[in-house]
Amino acid sequence: MKIVADKDIPGVEKAFAHFGELLLLPGRRIRQDDVRDADALVVRTVTRVDEALVNGTALQFIGSATSGTDHVDTEQLEKRGIQFCHAPGCNADAVVDYVLAALSLLAEQCGEHWRLKHVGIIGAGNVGSRLAWVFLRLGMPVTIYDPLLEPTHKLADYFGTFEEVVSCDIVTLHVPLTKTGPHPTFHMLDAKTLELLKNGAVLINASRGEVVDNPALSEHLKAHPDLQVVLDTWENEPAIHSVLLGQVAIATPHIAGYSRKGKSNGTAAILKLFCEYFGLQLSDLPVSDPGNILMLRETDSYLHNLDRAILQAYPIASDQLDRHDPKVVYNFESRRNNYAFRKEFGEFSFQADKVTTALAADLSALRFLYV
């Protein structure tokens, strides 16, 4: 058996090498000639899986170790009888951590705390729903927009209109990229809908870059510099909008879901489905080691300790792109491919006897463990 895989998928060599010939390649450079005689292909979002790639190949199985599928032409695969699978929700907790870390960093920078705000969430899939439950457990007001979900959804009581959601204090996007259907997400936030954002709001996009019209956002920020924007995903990655890069409050290179646990979840999910499809025995992947004890101060305020815990677990400032980097296109891709995958909040502990009951409850709601 021949398997072609993106070399930057964590644990991919250990997971697949013993099943046959394994060819590891940079994801953006995988071409038809590379997979012509391959039985299986394992990719990330940087590989476009379409007719040009799979036509005339021997591929039987394609797995994407990601939650999204907008890089895959599933109709073409179905037409050719190629089995496709992906890993929805594999990195959802990591993206939740990213949003909370971004909000905590903004709180440090501007002094206004996210804990006291009304949150609008667009998309109630794996990430959006988990994020909503976190905010609700913290007792925060939440409004959700997702027209594709049934009114019987567990979070349906918190659903609102698009206009209601984008008028919240914090607006965070967690939708797939779609260009067809009754509710396409491509440029969901464009020049017109950006005007619905309230003054001084926080806008976070950790879904897909094309959900927000980047040139329109840049123009909007010129007229509304009080809008605080956090972008992890960008249009035309890695050739991102250089002017917009200098305007946003937090800019990162599409790494919101890049936790060790999230990535290993993705690899493990594809490995399991690969083995089921080919009738092979499943091998085990290494388990993540326990996290560290958070250092919190009894003398500090509740909100300061909350942010301290979050930013100790994920110091998001270190992931920011250099706004003045002349090689930002190269470094965007380089930092993404060479990212030191972080731990998730659930891999860190705090000493319950060192914090107030209220703080302990909130830290537990964020998945921190207590000792």
Side-chain angles (χ1 to χ4, degrees), residues 16-33:
F16 291 95
H18 59 286
F19 291 118
E21 177 190 353
L22 177 63
L23 176 62
L24 299 177
L25 298 170
R28 289 194 190 277
R29 299 179 189 174
I30 295 175
R31 298 292 182 265
Q32 183 191 49
D33 284 346

Side-chain angles (χ1 to χ4, degrees), residues 290-294 309 312-314 342-350 367-370:
N292 298 323
I293 301 293
L294 298 169
Q312 277 185 53
Y314 179 21
R342 62 185 186 271
K343 292 182 179 180
E344 295 184 1
F345 290 178
E347 298 174 87
F348 288 82
S349 303
F350 66 93
R367 308 191 328 281
F368 290 111
L369 307 174
Y370 64 86

Side-chain angles (χ1 to χ4, degrees), residues 145-363:
Y145 175 73
D146 196 325
L148 298 180
L149 294 181
E150 298 292 333
T152 55
H153 191 277
K154 291 181 179 179
L155 289 164
D157 289 345
Y158 304 96
F159 281 19
T161 65
F162 180 80
E163 290 75 14
E164 289 171 334
V165 169
V166 295
S167 64
C168 290
D169 303 309
I170 299 166
V171 180
T172 181
L173 309 174
H174 302 288
V175 295
L177 176 63
T178 58
K179 296 184 178 181
T180 59
H183 302 285
T185 61
F186 177 76
H187 284 185
M188 173 182 281
L189 287 185
D190 56 14
K192 182 179 179 180
T193 52
L194 285 167
E195 293 294 335
L196 299 173
L197 295 168
K198 67 187 296 184
N199 293 334
V202 174
L203 172 64
I204 302 173
N205 187 14
S207 57
R208 288 292 183 263
E210 293 83 356
V211 172
V212 179
D213 183 334
N214 283 200
L217 177 58
S218 179
E219 289 301 312
H220 185 82
L221 283 169
K222 292 176 183 176
H224 303 85
D226 59 334
L227 177 66
Q228 295 180 289
V229 177
V230 178
L231 289 186
D232 180 59
T233 55
W234 308 70
E235 284 196 282
N236 305 314
E237 295 175 10
I240 64 176
H241 195 294
S242 59
V243 175
L244 183 58
L245 173 63
Q247 294 172 296
V248 301
I250 297 176
T252 52
H254 201 155
I255 45 73
Y258 274 31
S259 70
R260 292 194 300 178
K261 186 175 180 182
K263 287 299 176 183
S264 65
N265 286 344
T267 306
I270 299 306
L271 174 61
K272 179 176 183 294
L273 294 166
F274 168 88
C275 289
E276 289 177 357
Y277 180 79
F278 286 107
L280 302 169
Q281 185 173 353
L282 181 66
S283 58
D284 294 326
L285 290 177
V287 179
S288 177
D289 60 321
N292 298 323
I293 301 293
L294 298 169
M295 302 301 295
L296 305 176
R297 299 172 182 167
E298 296 178 74
T299 56
D300 283 355
S301 71
Y302 155 79
L303 291 179
H304 187 77
N305 265 329
L306 183 62
D307 288 333
R308 178 188 292 273
I310 290 170
L311 293 176
Q312 277 185 53
Y314 179 21
I316 190 174
S318 63
D319 281 343
Q320 292 207 71
L321 292 164
D322 183 350
R323 301 165 195 277
H324 307 291
D325 182 3
K327 297 182 178 179
V328 67
V329 172
Y330 169 80
N331 287 326
F332 186 103
E333 190 75 351
S334 176
R335 290 185 64 179
R336 221 183 153 208
N337 289 340
N338 299 293
Y339 190 76
F341 299 107
R342 62 185 186 271
K343 292 182 179 180
E344 295 184 1
F345 290 178
E347 298 174 87
F348 288 82
S349 303
F350 66 93
Q351 294 175 288
D353 60 345
K354 300 291 185 181
V355 300
T356 64
T357 302
L359 179 58
D362 281 2
L363 290 174

Side-chain angles (χ1 to χ4, degrees), residues 34-62:
D34 301 315
V35 298
R36 192 176 299 279
D37 60 345
D39 301 286
L41 171 65
V42 184
V43 299
R44 298 182 298 148
T45 57
V46 297
T47 301
R48 178 65 187 165
V49 180
D50 54 15
E51 182 179 13
L53 180 68
V54 303
N55 187 36
T57 71
L59 284 168
Q60 302 175 53
F61 175 95
I62 297 179

Side-chain angles (χ1 to χ4, degrees), residues 96-126:
V96 170
D97 294 352
Y98 175 93
V99 171
L100 293 164
L103 292 174
S104 289
L105 182 59
L106 290 179
E108 280 196 347
Q109 294 174 347
C110 70
E112 291 190 24
H113 206 274
W114 57 270
R115 183 69 175 75
L116 312 174
K117 303 293 186 179
H118 188 152
V119 182
I121 299 174
I122 299 179
N126 284 299

